[in-house]
Each structure stands twice: as structure tokens, then as C-alpha cells.
Amino acid sequence: MLYEYKTISKPIENTILKEKGSKFIGFAFPVATEAELKTALEKIRGEHPKATHHCYAFRMGFNGENYRANDDGEPSGSAGLPIYNQLLANEITNVLVISVRYYGGTKLGVSGLVKAYKECAKITLENAEIITRELETEIRVQFNFDQQNVIFTLLTKFDAKILSFETLENCKIKASVKLSDKENLADKLSEMQHISFDFDDKFMFLASDNQKKS
């Protein structure tokens, strides 16, 4: 099972490549939602309204299952795909790469465009810090009031983050735990009496302070 994924730690902007008079400017953004993707694209289009093309590619999802390559008017397959292939080459996801082109008066041809967009995306990502982030899941635990110390000790052992806690006769806790710890935690809870629990199968990204450099 997949427990982690690779992405970039922060945006990279204004990586410049010049080819036969044309100027290519590279950008890379970490994106996790369609809204973040749209915001990043609008930002660059707003900053470069007179550019000839705003070509881009992105991968989103733990396995990069949500993706797109956009040529923005360049010959089909000459811009977006070379950019996308650099995302694949670096094995990263939740990343948007944009290559802005200012036409310099000399046509590059399809092969020249492929080379230029590939190189622009390549050097942009070479300037990025690629990190590995782990996945987590939510767990909900219900238990008796006098079992609080035992439950909190166990969750602390697994570095769980408490999201909510209801202290009544029957207490309820919602916490986030690393997906890689799910089975071991479930085994420990199953050994206890008067406890019920379930996991939310919608995995989430861990916070940035739980990342490790690649």
C-alpha cells in the first residue's frame, strides 16, 4: 500500500531559458486542490498578460491520477507533454509546472519546441526542493471515561494528533494517525475491552512539519 508521495516544498518562480530569441520562463507550484491550481494559473497569466503562450502540466492525487498537459496554442504535444514528462521523471505529484513563452521572431519547429519546453521544466524543477510526505487517516475511538489515560497513552505512542475530544460517560476521540501505523494501532485497540473504533478511509496529507527531504 502507498504510504507516502513526493512533491515540492514551495513555489519556484522566474526560471529563465532563452532559445533563438524566444524567452521561456518557468514556474512550479505545489497544489493539492483544483482551487489552488486555478489560483496559480491565474496568477501567472495576470503577471504575463502579453506572453505568447502559457503552457503547463500538472499531476494531482497520491498516484498522480489527476493530470493534464496543455499546449496553449503551440503545436499538439510540443509543450504540455514535455512539461508533464518532467513531472513523471521526478516522480512527483501535487505539482503544477508552467512555462511562459515570449516569441522572439524565429520559429523553433516542433522538435525545437519540445526541447525548449522540456529544458525549461527540467531546470525549474532542478531548482525545487523535492520532499517526501506521508499519508494519514482519521480514527474515531469511543471508550469509557475511566479509560482516558490508557487511550491517550496509546495514541501518543503512535504520534496521533487529537482533532476533537468529547468527555462524557462515554468518551469520544477523533485523531489523525499515519496510514502506515493504521494496522498496528487497530491491533492494539482490538485487544482492549469496552472500546469501539473505526477509520476514515479518506486519506489526507500530513502537515509540512512531518515531511522529510528526498
Side-chain angles (χ1 to χ4, degrees):
M1 181 181 289
L2 178 68
Y3 295 127
E4 59 187 29
Y5 68 100
K6 292 200 297 183
T7 190
I8 61 174
S9 62
K10 60 184 179 181
I12 298 296
E13 302 191 40
N14 298 308
T15 301
I16 296 176
L17 172 73
K18 293 183 178 180
E19 185 69 27
K20 294 182 179 179
S22 285
K23 183 166 71 171
F24 298 82
I25 310 174
F27 304 84
F29 297 91
V31 290
T33 66
E34 294 288 344
E36 291 178 357
L37 178 71
K38 183 179 180 181
T39 297
L41 285 169
E42 290 178 347
K43 175 181 183 294
I44 300 307
R45 286 169 178 156
E47 291 177 356
H48 296 274
K50 295 183 179 180
T52 317
H53 304 279
H54 304 83
C55 304
Y56 66 88
F58 67 81
R59 294 182 79 212
M60 291 198 298
F62 307 129
N63 294 296
E65 59 272 13
N66 182 8
Y67 62 91
R68 186 180 178 188
N70 188 301
D71 296 313
D72 193 35
E74 295 280 33
S76 179
S78 67
L81 188 57
I83 298 171
Y84 176 71
N85 284 338
Q86 289 305 302
L87 296 173
L88 295 179
N90 285 278
E91 299 179 329
I92 53 178
T93 189
N94 280 27
V95 178
L96 164 70
V97 175
I98 306 170
S99 291
V100 172
R101 181 191 181 191
Y102 286 88
Y103 181 58
T106 301
K107 292 185 178 181
L108 301 180
V110 172
S111 62
L113 289 171
V114 169
K115 180 181 177 181
Y117 280 108
K118 172 187 175 181
E119 188 63 20
C120 184
K122 182 174 182 289
I123 62 176
T124 299
L125 291 175
E126 284 175 348
N127 287 321
E129 178 190 27
I130 295 179
I131 57 174
T132 299
R133 284 187 171 168
E134 297 181 270
L135 305 181
E136 66 176 12
T137 184
E138 280 188 4
I139 183 173
R140 293 177 289 265
V141 188
Q142 186 168 329
F143 51 93
N144 292 336
F145 183 83
D146 59 4
Q147 294 176 296
Q148 286 185 71
N149 289 340
V150 175
I151 296 300
F152 273 100
T153 298
L154 179 62
L155 292 177
T156 299
K157 180 180 178 181
F158 283 92
D159 295 321
K161 297 178 182 177
I162 307 301
L163 303 176
S164 66
F165 176 43
E166 298 179 22
T167 173
L168 301 170
E169 184 176 347
N170 288 315
C171 299
K172 296 179 181 179
I173 279 182
K174 182 166 71 172
S176 62
V177 295
K178 293 179 182 178
L179 184 59
S180 57
D181 288 332
K182 177 180 176 180
E183 290 187 12
N184 287 336
L185 177 57
D187 288 342
K188 295 293 184 182
L189 290 171
S190 297
E191 296 171 358
M192 300 180 181
Q193 295 182 339
H194 313 299
I195 290 176
S196 62
F197 65 91
D198 67 286
F199 289 92
D200 188 336
D201 289 333
K202 292 184 292 185
F203 306 140
M204 302 168 295
F205 299 108
L206 282 178
S208 58
D209 59 349
N210 285 292
Q211 64 192 29
K212 47 189 179 183
K213 295 181 181 179
S214 298

